[in-house]
């Protein structure tokens, strides 16, 4: 080490020899929060940039899906903050009606108490108590991840302000006749005893039975098939297709419904598929959504035969039986009467289950509150078609249109106690009054409020503006609405996103809630399988954070985030990201020990070496690439670009190539130290939004700045004497260093092929005259472990590379004959592979029949074989001659 280097070491900022995330992350995050870096000021003159957090359930805890989504949002907001925007990442939680009520009911059950024992008011108080004591653990976990949210603005969908927003929008929709009450088929959970939304229904393949039953007698009989025999007690018709000649003589007549003594009509309806089964279907309007619509078209009665718990209510021998008990009993009774034509068991079919308690869903006719979505959905579709809102990736637009263009009216009432109670009062004489937040509720004898609460999605649909203080025209609404972008999973495109679009356009005078909808995929395991506790592959991200640090988890997730595509992730990938964080740490520590600095201007171009000019030129290219990828929400590509630039180009090439310069000292070393400081400064700022903790520690140590959180986002680096649009660029220097890399890479490969150890030194002559490589000889010798050639040097191998020649003396280091035999064998195998691939690609019959993927694979084999032949032939030629 030279005197200059030693002097720079003495004054260099110190870093611990190892990076320990657990020692760094918690204190750093608290410092950021205390200094108010994440808060947003509506009085600021800066342009706004707003993103709302998809509100996690108050019952929830951080899972990999949350960690993934939060990483992407945090990266966007951290970058925009550095770019000078007044950035608001709005935090909060959803009251999660069914999930929260179930949690508290389970707690009560442990005490031997039910909610009915407490009564509604006391139960709701108990839920608030639970929320205060146990709810919201996810907030602390968000801090662990590094979420840069404005904590002072945290909202809850049941807090006073949001409750006012909910009541306001309900009243407006009601007055505009866009909310109504009607009896319709809904998804009903017999365990939770409430209607549930489509998003809360999970479909899975269950084993049941398909039973074919004969209705009627003789020529007037019809066979229908069903997987739910118990609902036949509520049949009020049999339907056939109008053009089905088999049943034309029966349309308009009546047949006997077995076991009931009732006669039901045969109706013709185009909904029936004449090609499916017998071409005839039983119609149970009170227990099937399609049957309900048939019933409406033909004015059929709605006969409910199951109560809210799934128990048979129809008079007769089956009354009081659970629906599944009744199914077996009814099939047995039909079999005894000779009515069973066929039975298929087991019969696997898709069945809906409550996502909360896994109970089989029961379609049920029920009086509920509905939103008339027609005009709202049209506006939501038009906003995307007209370009007001962009969906990213664009190919997801078709899924969005497929939903909003065919949206059915939305059932918004839930038979729960926890949630926003429907603001409608009923009077003693049939009066119905909807009450707004500034209205007085009717009082007096006989007036009662509707007992139902609103679907959780109703309040979360207001999230982009209710969190800002709407319906008041607050400074926050004026500053931060609409959002810049919504980052969310494609799985709730239909449910949450569509509802926010409908409500935002309706409530905010046609202004959509966000300019862009950036959709991401689901996190899966490393084999692409859905993560689930039942599969045994679910991962608690906190465990990985404990083992590898939050930065490692974040970088792994971001590096897999291609727009709209599912993200596979495995623990070994997180380990790799931990290694990357360590690499950043160690390289920066080395740079600081060797005097890397950000003080003063960059030296002018004429004082910079080709290596310095190369890395600055590459740095500007990377800044431009990263900006373009951010603007296109290409997190995987920007992360990969930064990974390879930092690890490969900065740490493995620039630092290594500069070591000999640092050792030599003088003006060239001083220039490289300043360049290295600049490159690290910019690289750490580019990396910060994805890996905030390690970059904060390193950047503040390197620059002495207050925090990288509030540092400027990198722009093009300028070098005096070489200004260019987009910053300093030097194509000649890039070509020169690419040539150095080519020589080093080829000689390293040759050394490896000859079985030489990485640290084993070999005498060599470098013939570099007439090339741009001469200035790099010392660095190349250092990287390749090549000793100067002595007087007794005898070249036993000679490698021509990139216009230069590297001669090596390998005598005594390898068994030449053994190596020649091995390479000759490898060459024969490569030539055989080439011949086979060439023959297949020359076979017209094969090319005509083979799938394109197979042909492409063989083309790849041919290219690989040809490359192997060139490489092995060169290795053989380089071996010492006998």
């Amino acid at each position: 080490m030279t005197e200059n280097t030693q002097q720079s070491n003495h004054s260099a900022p110190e870093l611990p020899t190892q990076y320990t995330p657990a020692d760094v992350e918690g204190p750093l995050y608290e410092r950021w929060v205390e200094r108010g870096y994440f808060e947003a000021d509506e009085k600021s003159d800066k342009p706004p940039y707003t993103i709302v957090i998809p509100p996690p359930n108050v019952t929830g805890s951080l899972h990999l899906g949350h960690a993934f989504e939060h990483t992407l949002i945090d990266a966007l907001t951290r970058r925009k903050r550095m770019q000078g925007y007044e950035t608001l990442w709005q935090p909060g939680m959803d009251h999660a009606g069914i999930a929260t009520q179930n949690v508290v009911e389970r707690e009560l059950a442990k005490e031997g108490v039910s909610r009915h024992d407490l009564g509604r008011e006391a139960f709701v108080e108990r839920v608030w108590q639970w929320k205060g004591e146990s709810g919201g653990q996810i907030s602390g976990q968000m801090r662990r991840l590094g979420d840069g949210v404005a904590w002072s603005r945290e909202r809850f969908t049941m807090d006073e302000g949001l409750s006012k927003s909910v009541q306001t929008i309900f009243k407006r929709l009601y007055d505009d006749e866009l909310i109504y009450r009607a009896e319709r088929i809904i998804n009903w959970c017999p365990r939770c005893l409430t209607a549930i939304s489509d998003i809360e229904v999970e479909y899975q393949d269950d084993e049941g039975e398909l039973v074919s039953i004969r209705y009627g007698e003789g020529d007037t009989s019809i066979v229908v098939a069903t997987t739910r025999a118990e609902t036949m007690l509520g049949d009020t018709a049999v339907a056939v297709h109008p053009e089905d000649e088999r049943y034309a003589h029966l349309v308009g007549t009546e047949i006997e419904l077995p076991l009931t003594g009732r006669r039901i009509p045969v109706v013709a309806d185009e909904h029936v598929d004449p090609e499916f089964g017998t071409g005839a279907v039983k119609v149970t309007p009170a227990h099937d959504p399609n049957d309900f619509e048939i019933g409406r078209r033909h004015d059929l009665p709605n006969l409910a035969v199951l109560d809210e718990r799934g128990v048979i209510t129809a008079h007769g021998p089956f009354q009081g039986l659970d629906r599944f008990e009744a199914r077996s009993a009814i099939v047995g009774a039909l079999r005894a009467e000779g009515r069973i034509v066929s039975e298929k068991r087991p019969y696997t079919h898709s069945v809906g289950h409550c996502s909360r308690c896994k109970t089989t869903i029961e379609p049920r006719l029920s009086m509920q509150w509905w939103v008339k979505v027609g005009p709202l959905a049209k506006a939501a579709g038009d906003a995307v078609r007209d370009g007001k809102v962009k969906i990213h990736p664009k190919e997801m637009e078709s899924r969005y249109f497929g939903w909003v263009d065919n949206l059915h009216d939305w059932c918004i009432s839930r038979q729960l106690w926890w949630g926003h109670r429907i603001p409608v009062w009923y009077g003693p004489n049939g009066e119905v009054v909807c009450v707004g937040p500034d209205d007085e509720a009717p009082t007096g004898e006989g007036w009662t409020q509707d007992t139902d609460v609103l679907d959780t999605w109703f309040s979360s649909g207001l999230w982009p503006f209710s969190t800002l203080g709407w319906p008041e025209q607050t400074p926050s609404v004026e500053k931060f609405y609409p959002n810049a972008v919504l980052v969310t999973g494609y799985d709730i495109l239909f449910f949450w996103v569509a509802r926010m679009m409908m409500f935002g356009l309706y409530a905010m005078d046609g202004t959509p809630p966000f300019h862009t909808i950036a959709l991401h995929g689901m996190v899966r395991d490393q084999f692409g399988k859905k993560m689930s506790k039942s599969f045994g592959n679910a991962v608690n991200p906190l465990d990985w954070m404990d083992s590898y640090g939050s930065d490692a988890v974040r970088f792994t997730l971001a590096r897999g985030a291609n727009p709209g595509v599912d993200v596979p992730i495995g623990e070994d990938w997180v380990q790799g990201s931990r290694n990357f964080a360590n690499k950043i740490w160690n390289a920066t520590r080395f740079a600081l020990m060797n005097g890397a600095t950000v003080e003063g201007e960059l030296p002018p171009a004429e004082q910079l070496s080709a290596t310095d000019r190369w890395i600055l030129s590459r740095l500007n290219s990377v800044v431009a690439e990263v900006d373009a990828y951010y603007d296109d929400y290409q997190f995987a590509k920007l992360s990969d670009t930064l990974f390879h630039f930092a690890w490969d180009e900065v740490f493995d090439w620039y630092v290594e190539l500069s070591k000999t310069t640092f050792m030599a000292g003088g003006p060239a070393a001083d220039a490289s130290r300043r360049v290295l400081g600049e490159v690290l400064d910019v690289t750490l700022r580019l990396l910060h939004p994805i890996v905030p903790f390690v970059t904060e520690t390193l950047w503040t140590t390197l620059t002495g700045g207050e925090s990288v959180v509030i540092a400027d986002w990198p722009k093009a680096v300028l070098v005096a004497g070489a200004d260019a649009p987009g910053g300093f660029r030097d194509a000649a220097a890039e070509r020169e260093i690419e040539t150095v890399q080519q020589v080093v890479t080829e000689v390293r490969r040759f050394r490896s092929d000859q079985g030489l150890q990485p640290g084993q030194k070999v005498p060599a002559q470098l013939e570099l005259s007439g090339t741009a490589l001469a200035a790099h000889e010392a660095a190349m010798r250092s990287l390749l472990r090549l000793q100067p050639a002595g007087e007794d040097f005898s070249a036993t191998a000679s490698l021509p590379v990139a216009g230069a020649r590297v001669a090596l003396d390998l005598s005594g280091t390898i068994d030449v004959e053994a190596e020649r035999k091995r390479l000759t064998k490898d060459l024969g195998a490569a030539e055989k592979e080439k011949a086979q691939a060439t023959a297949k690609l020359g076979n017209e019959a094969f090319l005509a029949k083979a799938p394109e993927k197979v042909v492409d694979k063989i083309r790849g084999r041919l290219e690989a074989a040809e490359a192997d032949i060139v490489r092995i032939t060169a290795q053989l030629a380089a071996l010492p001659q006998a």
Side-chain angles (χ1 to χ4, degrees), residues 337-359:
E337 290 191 3
R339 294 283 180 180
I340 301 298
V341 177
S342 67
E343 297 178 69
K344 186 175 182 181
R345 188 184 298 111
Y347 178 74
T348 302
H349 60 130
S350 181
V351 178
H353 295 261
C354 174
S355 63
R356 303 300 176 190
C357 66
K358 311 308 176 187
T359 301

Side-chain angles (χ1 to χ4, degrees), residues 48 50 88 462-468 470 473 475-484 500-501 503-515:
T50 314
L88 169 60
L462 312 178
W463 192 245
F465 50 92
S466 64
T467 51
L468 299 174
W470 186 91
Q473 191 61 22
S476 287
V477 171
E478 293 180 5
K479 179 73 173 181
F480 295 115
Y481 186 90
N483 286 199
M500 284 191 291
M501 285 285 284
F503 282 165
L505 290 161
Y506 173 79
M508 305 302 285
D509 299 322
T511 302
F514 21 72
H515 299 304

Side-chain angles (χ1 to χ4, degrees), residues 555 558-559 634-644 690:
F555 192 74
R559 203 174 177 192
Q634 297 280 358
F635 296 97
K637 290 182 178 178
L638 72 89
S639 299
D640 214 46
T641 296
L642 287 170
F643 174 87
H644 287 294
I690 305 292

Side-chain angles (χ1 to χ4, degrees), residues 548-822:
Y548 309 110
S550 297
D551 283 334
V553 174
R554 291 171 59 115
F555 192 74
T556 304
L557 291 166
R559 203 174 177 192
N562 290 297
V565 178
D566 288 345
V567 182
I569 184 172
E571 186 168 3
D572 54 337
W573 303 342
V574 185
Q575 292 173 355
S577 295
R578 186 267 316 274
N579 295 343
F580 179 52
N582 289 341
K583 184 79 170 181
I584 301 170
W585 183 273
N586 293 333
T588 305
R589 185 170 178 272
F590 167 84
L592 291 170
M593 290 174 61
N594 283 275
T597 181
V598 296
E599 294 180 4
E601 298 293 327
L602 281 170
E606 63 269 15
Q607 294 181 19
L608 297 176
S609 67
T611 307
D612 294 334
R613 297 196 306 276
W614 160 72
I615 198 63
L616 290 173
S617 183
R618 286 293 303 129
L619 178 65
N620 277 333
S621 295
V622 168
V623 170
E625 288 172 24
V626 168
D627 276 333
Y629 287 142
Y630 261 117
D631 292 342
D632 199 33
Y633 305 101
Q634 297 280 358
F635 296 97
K637 290 182 178 178
L638 72 89
S639 299
D640 214 46
T641 296
L642 287 170
F643 174 87
H644 287 294
F645 176 70
W647 191 307
D648 300 344
E649 297 186 79
V650 178
F651 304 147
D652 280 358
W653 282 107
Y654 180 71
V655 169
E656 293 298 322
L657 288 170
S658 300
K659 281 182 179 179
T660 53
T661 304
F662 293 151
M663 292 181 67
D670 291 338
S672 291
R673 291 188 183 100
R674 180 63 188 89
V675 169
L676 180 54
E678 184 76 12
V679 171
L680 286 175
D681 170 21
V682 174
T683 302
L684 290 170
R685 281 186 282 149
L686 289 173
L687 282 166
H688 172 72
I690 305 292
V691 285
F693 295 107
V694 67
T695 52
E696 170 80 341
T697 305
L698 296 176
W699 186 86
T700 53
T701 303
L702 171 71
T703 67
E706 179 184 342
S707 173
V708 70
V709 176
I710 55 173
D712 290 336
W713 181 251
K715 297 179 180 178
V717 176
L718 302 176
V719 176
D723 289 345
F728 174 76
R729 298 293 174 91
D730 192 328
E734 289 194 37
R735 288 193 298 271
E736 183 173 327
I737 301 304
E738 285 172 6
T739 304
V740 172
Q741 292 171 327
Q742 184 180 353
V743 173
V744 171
T745 300
E746 286 299 317
V747 175
R748 279 177 172 169
R749 182 180 294 122
F750 178 77
R751 287 177 56 108
S752 176
D753 289 339
Q754 306 308 314
L756 297 176
Q757 295 300 314
Q760 188 173 352
K761 294 184 177 181
V762 177
Q765 287 181 341
L766 275 63
E767 299 175 14
L768 308 176
S769 59
T771 71
L773 297 171
H776 304 283
E777 179 171 353
M780 292 165 63
R781 284 187 175 277
S782 176
L783 290 170
L784 291 169
R785 303 295 191 269
L786 301 180
Q787 294 176 325
E791 294 182 1
D792 56 348
F793 176 81
S794 175
T796 59
S798 182
L799 297 176
V801 186
R805 182 172 294 276
V806 180
L808 303 99
D809 182 359
L810 301 178
S811 57
T813 61
I814 61 170
D815 184 336
V816 176
E817 272 313 304
E819 187 63 17
R820 194 184 307 281
K821 288 180 180 179
R822 184 184 71 81

